[in-house]
Amino acid sequence: MATTLIRNLVFALTVDAHDTVLEDASMVVDGDRIAALGPAAEVEAEFPPDRVDTVVDGSRRGVVPGFVDSHVHLSETLSRGVFPDTLGTRAWVFHWAKPFYAHVGPEDERVSVLLGTTEMLRCGTTCFLDMGSQHDAGITVRAAAEVGIRGVTGRHAADTKPAEIPPGWTDEMVEHHFFPSAEVALEVLEQQVHDWNGYADGLIRCWVNIEGKEPCSPELHVGARALAERLGVGTTYHLATSIEEARVSERKHGLWPVERIASLGGLGSNLVIAHGVAVKDTEVPLLATHDAKVAFCPSTSLKLAKGATAIGKYPEMRDAGVTVGVGTDGVAAAGNINLMRQMYLVAGLFKDARLDETQIGGREALRMATIDGARALGWDDEIGSLEVGKRADFVLFDLDHFEWTPYEDPLMALVWSVSPASIAETWVNGRALYRDGRVVTVDEAALRAEARERAADIVRRAGLDRSATPVTTTLYE
Ligand SMILES: [Zn+2]
């Protein structure tokens, strides 16, 4: 296997158990793994430059682990800027996102995944947890593998139609979107895991993902996690995504969403709850006891007025030992799939809201965007930090960029000052996928052109109209 020595890196933020920061470090990549990382002299005594295949000058570079996006919708990438930012969560989902998704065909979805994963690599994201394909997980799996990124996906599933089908939902869409029962949904999802988990030499995993909340029955919530456990994989679904959802749950079932799933025996260590913003103090220990994971999506919270700082318990969850990763969510919900922007928000939101500078800051935000995300995905044995033996997933920053000129502490600069603009290279599994300003596995210009064309067609077909599409909802109430 080919070896690469990256010499004299100005810094390496390892995000290991001690948050070790190395200066004047060298790193050796052997095939798909990190074979050495440490002080340059030590590494080069073991791996002399004349005995490796490739030598890279790292003297104007800093290295950090690849970012792990704990919640994304790769089928949503063609919806940028389509929906207004005056919608609450439930109207957004039911009257805008669902009709949009209904018109994303299999080929649109393939382009959407290629586009989304390409942008992710340009933003330093090397691994994702995607909610899944609207058609077949294989579409997402193959497109992501083509780009070369690491990730987890599945197939969208729901089984509970609203009592009244709203305008904008076609019969065809309802038929396609809802399985007739939890049992049928779980059969299909099990087959998807058998078909796609471990694709591309294990780079892509397939889970038992479901949409979650009102469009899914309690049997589907509980059954998805139990099935995932039996198959040795995970599950992710949306839950406690807004205060409105929590209020409806309380009125109909007498319990908040997390309480309800806990009362049904549905929490477990292989569950990643997307959002988890409407959570009461008494629900935090339930998450901790069952080791359920949470994916916090700050951009979506801001755009859809979810109240991350008004009602969110993310700092309390972390204090209680809950693993909290960071997600971008889809580009319609959040506006972007840039995990560095989420890291920036995470580092500041709670300090500001609580007038307390000891709340989650840069160090914690970097951990949440890397190793904690990896732990949420059950992948921290191989990714999430820069350590010998782990997979070579990392980001090299160009320290000659204005964003880094000048700087003193690399962690403070990374979180508070820097954007993807100064990323020089993004590596996944030992391959430099983003380098010299482009993602090497795709024809970027052709992809952008096709994406623009397909996005315009979907918007036209979906018939979303700012003057006619509802901006409030009573669905499922
Ligand atoms: Zn989502």
Side-chain angles (χ1 to χ4, degrees):
M1 276 201 280
T3 46
T4 301
L5 167 67
I6 306 174
R7 309 178 72 177
N8 303 111
L9 289 153
V10 178
F11 66 79
L13 298 177
T14 66
V15 200
D16 65 5
H18 311 287
D19 287 320
T20 305
V21 180
L22 299 167
E23 287 175 9
D24 191 19
S26 289
M27 181 163 75
V28 175
V29 177
D30 184 7
D32 52 15
R33 292 187 190 266
I34 298 170
L37 174 65
E42 276 177 33
V43 168
E44 289 175 35
E46 194 187 344
F47 292 90
D50 58 353
R51 296 227 217 112
V52 297
D53 298 305
T54 311
V55 177
V56 174
D57 175 18
S59 63
R60 292 310 303 161
R61 298 278 186 264
V63 67
V64 306
F67 300 113
V68 178
D69 190 331
S70 303
H71 180 67
V72 65
H73 294 253
L74 288 171
S75 329
E76 204 175 290
T77 323
L78 298 179
S79 63
R80 183 179 280 111
V82 175
F83 314 166
D85 69 353
T86 48
L87 302 167
T89 298
R90 300 175 84 259
W92 183 93
V93 171
F94 298 137
H95 297 307
W96 292 77
K98 285 200 184 294
F100 183 91
Y101 271 117
H103 294 274
V104 176
E107 194 54 26
D108 297 321
E109 193 166 66
R110 192 184 81 84
V111 171
S112 182
V113 175
L114 291 173
L115 187 74
T117 51
T118 296
E119 192 184 351
M120 280 178 156
L121 291 173
R122 299 178 70 93
C123 293
T125 299
T126 55
C127 184
F128 60 78
L129 171 55
D130 172 49
M131 279 309 295
S133 168
Q134 300 289 314
H135 305 277
D136 183 292
I139 296 170
T140 309
V141 167
R142 282 191 296 251
E146 191 179 324
V147 173
I149 197 167
R150 185 187 304 282
V152 183
T153 188
R155 193 244 190 251
H156 176 274
D159 67 345
T160 308
K161 296 173 200 171
E164 234 174 87
I165 301 302
W169 291 28
T170 62
D171 293 346
E172 195 187 356
M173 162 191 164
V174 174
E175 180 73 17
H176 175 78
H177 196 77
F178 294 97
F179 286 100
S181 67
E183 201 185 349
V184 174
L186 293 172
E187 267 171 34
V188 171
L189 297 182
E190 179 167 2
Q191 190 58 47
Q192 295 270 289
V193 173
H194 286 308
D195 289 349
W196 300 110
N197 190 38
Y199 191 80
D201 286 332
L203 206 58
I204 311 289
R205 295 179 177 178
C206 183
W207 282 10
V208 185
N209 296 352
I210 62 168
E211 181 181 347
K213 54 192 172 60
E214 294 98 330
C216 294
S217 65
E219 294 76 27
L220 188 52
H221 284 94
V222 175
R225 203 199 63 75
L227 172 62
E229 195 168 282
R230 179 160 69 72
L231 299 176
V233 297
T235 182
T236 188
Y237 53 72
H238 300 94
L239 196 76
T241 64
S242 68
I243 191 67
E244 292 79 14
E245 177 199 330
R247 286 188 187 126
V248 170
S249 177
E250 184 168 45
R251 192 161 63 243
K252 288 172 79 169
H253 313 293
L255 295 169
W256 276 41
V258 170
E259 281 178 332
R260 182 163 179 248
I261 297 297
S263 76
L264 298 167
L267 297 180
S269 63
N270 64 338
L271 166 64
V272 180
I273 292 174
H275 300 295
V277 67
V279 170
K280 291 192 290 190
D281 286 326
T282 50
E283 292 178 304
V284 173
L286 295 175
L287 295 169
T289 305
H290 294 281
D291 195 23
K293 319 296 198 285
V294 172
F296 173 31
C297 305
S299 278
T300 300
S301 192
L302 295 183
K303 189 154 174 264
L304 302 187
K306 288 179 183 294
T309 56
I311 59 168
K313 300 288 186 307
Y314 303 104
E316 288 75 12
M317 288 177 191
R318 279 179 51 87
D319 290 347
V322 178
T323 299
V324 182
V326 186
T328 54
D329 212 349
V331 299
N336 69 89
I337 48 174
N338 171 359
L339 204 72
M340 290 189 73
R341 186 178 293 175
Q342 314 310 311
M343 179 169 71
Y344 166 78
L345 292 171
V346 170
L349 279 173
F350 298 98
K351 291 197 286 189
D352 180 70
R354 300 182 184 190
L355 302 128
D356 177 0
E357 67 280 10
T358 68
Q359 292 286 336
I360 295 171
R363 189 184 69 82
E364 294 83 1
L366 176 60
R367 292 192 72 84
M368 290 167 75
T370 55
I371 189 68
D372 293 350
R375 189 169 299 120
L377 274 61
W379 222 328
D380 53 312
D381 57 333
E382 294 208 295
I383 59 168
S385 58
L386 299 176
E387 294 179 78
V388 171
K390 281 199 168 181
R391 301 279 178 172
D393 291 10
F394 57 86
V395 184
L396 293 172
F397 283 92
D398 170 14
L399 306 184
D400 254 346
H401 196 282
F402 273 91
E403 290 187 336
W404 291 91
T405 308
Y407 77 96
E408 179 63 32
D409 181 305
L411 171 64
M412 289 296 105
L414 177 76
V415 174
W416 292 105
S417 314
V418 169
S419 77
S422 60
I423 292 176
E425 298 184 12
T426 304
W427 290 54
V428 178
N429 219 31
R431 293 171 72 197
L433 296 177
Y434 174 71
R435 170 183 267 176
D436 300 326
R438 56 179 286 265
V439 172
V440 300
T441 43
V442 296
D443 179 341
E444 289 189 332
L447 178 59
R448 287 196 304 271
E450 186 170 9
R452 275 191 284 264
E453 222 169 272
R454 287 182 178 277
D457 273 355
I458 297 166
V459 172
R460 190 176 41 72
R461 290 199 302 268
L464 292 170
D465 177 350
R466 287 180 189 224
S467 64
T469 307
V471 294
T472 58
T473 191
T474 54
L475 227 57
Y476 290 104
E477 284 183 8

